[in-house]
Amino acid sequence: MSRHVTLFHCPHTRSSGVLTLLEELGADYELHLMNMHKGEQRQPAYLAINPMGKVPALRHGETIITEQVAVYLYLADLYADAGLTPAVDSPQRGTFLRWMVFSGTCFEPAVVDHALQRAPVEPSRSPYGDFATVLDTLAEHLQGRTWMLGDSYSVADVLWGTALNWTMAFGLIPERPVFRAYVERFLARPAVQRARAKDVALAESQKAE
């Protein structure tokens, strides 16, 4: 089966991380570009792809994949030969899956609640515990490691490099030295720079429309 995929993409959104991942994987892909500022992701054509009206969404043949982490994991397995995901029988597989899922189950809800200044609840009633513990857990894991899996760069680093860069840029989390050093390593990667350049060009083209 062909590995050609289509990414439904709005520049400077969550789908930018998937664009970065596609570049890292050397994937065969095309972009279905939408203008978020014109609300194109809320039009019937795209709602037929993802009724939530969110990006990213991915099409592979007749299969539609939505939800950020699901898209990352699907691509990781589709392009397993790129060497950016541990094999199922690898000792690193569990660590990889842990941190992929941690982003959506703990990090994102903690950041959103904190940003909206929602009153904290007892840790036993919260799906993530508390904001400080989430950040401490992540920082402790990154301390002394180059990447999420140690010395090996993986799909998890595309997810986390993108997330930490974005949340620090907007002041949603404190800029700890361990986070900043990790993000700087991520941003220095050629594939990341290619994807960021593409996103800037796409955003500029939409402004000119």
Side-chain angles (χ1 to χ4, degrees), residues 36-123:
M36 183 178 64
H37 301 291
K38 293 183 178 180
E40 291 176 357
Q41 81 281 12
R42 299 286 182 183
Q43 297 303 309
Y46 184 64
L47 293 178
I49 299 295
N50 185 0
M52 298 295 291
K54 301 188 302 179
V55 292
L58 194 75
R59 177 190 284 134
H60 177 222
E62 299 301 316
T63 301
I64 297 293
I65 308 95
T66 67
E67 304 311 314
Q68 179 175 232
V69 173
V71 171
Y72 276 77
L73 290 173
Y74 191 92
L75 288 170
D77 289 340
L78 184 64
Y79 283 90
D81 58 327
L84 294 185
T85 181
V88 173
D89 60 354
S90 167
Q92 291 277 45
R93 184 71 177 183
T95 302
F96 172 73
L97 292 174
R98 174 196 177 189
W99 288 105
M100 292 297 293
V101 174
F102 189 88
S103 67
T105 58
C106 294
F107 181 74
E108 287 199 3
V111 168
V112 170
D113 284 351
H114 185 76
L116 295 178
Q117 299 182 339
R118 291 172 175 159
V121 299
E122 295 177 10

Side-chain angles (χ1 to χ4, degrees), residues 10-207:
C10 297
H12 300 324
T13 67
R14 288 171 184 269
S15 59
S16 300
V18 181
L19 176 59
T20 303
L21 178 56
L22 291 167
E23 288 289 324
E24 287 281 10
L25 294 170
D28 175 14
Y29 75 92
E30 64 181 287
L31 296 178
H32 181 104
L33 189 64
M34 295 180 292
N35 192 323
M36 183 178 64
H37 301 291
K38 293 183 178 180
E40 291 176 357
Q41 81 281 12
R42 299 286 182 183
Q43 297 303 309
Y46 184 64
L47 293 178
I49 299 295
N50 185 0
M52 298 295 291
K54 301 188 302 179
V55 292
L58 194 75
R59 177 190 284 134
H60 177 222
E62 299 301 316
T63 301
I64 297 293
I65 308 95
T66 67
E67 304 311 314
Q68 179 175 232
V69 173
V71 171
Y72 276 77
L73 290 173
Y74 191 92
L75 288 170
D77 289 340
L78 184 64
Y79 283 90
D81 58 327
L84 294 185
T85 181
V88 173
D89 60 354
S90 167
Q92 291 277 45
R93 184 71 177 183
T95 302
F96 172 73
L97 292 174
R98 174 196 177 189
W99 288 105
M100 292 297 293
V101 174
F102 189 88
S103 67
T105 58
C106 294
F107 181 74
E108 287 199 3
V111 168
V112 170
D113 284 351
H114 185 76
L116 295 178
Q117 299 182 339
R118 291 172 175 159
V121 299
E122 295 177 10
S124 61
R125 296 173 53 208
S126 169
Y128 59 81
D130 62 81
F131 180 73
T133 299
V134 168
L135 295 189
D136 288 346
T137 300
L138 178 59
E140 287 168 11
H141 178 76
L142 285 173
Q143 194 67 48
R145 290 180 170 88
T146 304
W147 303 114
M148 295 302 292
L149 300 183
D151 293 331
S152 299
Y153 185 80
S154 73
V155 169
D157 295 299
V158 183
L159 179 65
W160 280 103
T162 301
L164 288 175
N165 183 49
W166 191 86
T167 51
M168 286 195 297
F170 285 92
L172 298 175
I173 66 169
E175 192 165 313
R176 298 189 184 188
V178 68
F179 294 160
R180 174 47 56 194
Y182 175 76
V183 166
E184 291 302 325
R185 290 192 293 274
F186 171 72
L187 294 176
R189 292 184 63 83
V192 177
Q193 295 176 10
R194 288 196 306 272
R196 287 166 65 85
K198 284 186 178 183
D199 232 24
V200 168
L202 290 170
E204 288 300 318
S205 70
Q206 289 185 337
K207 286 181 182 179

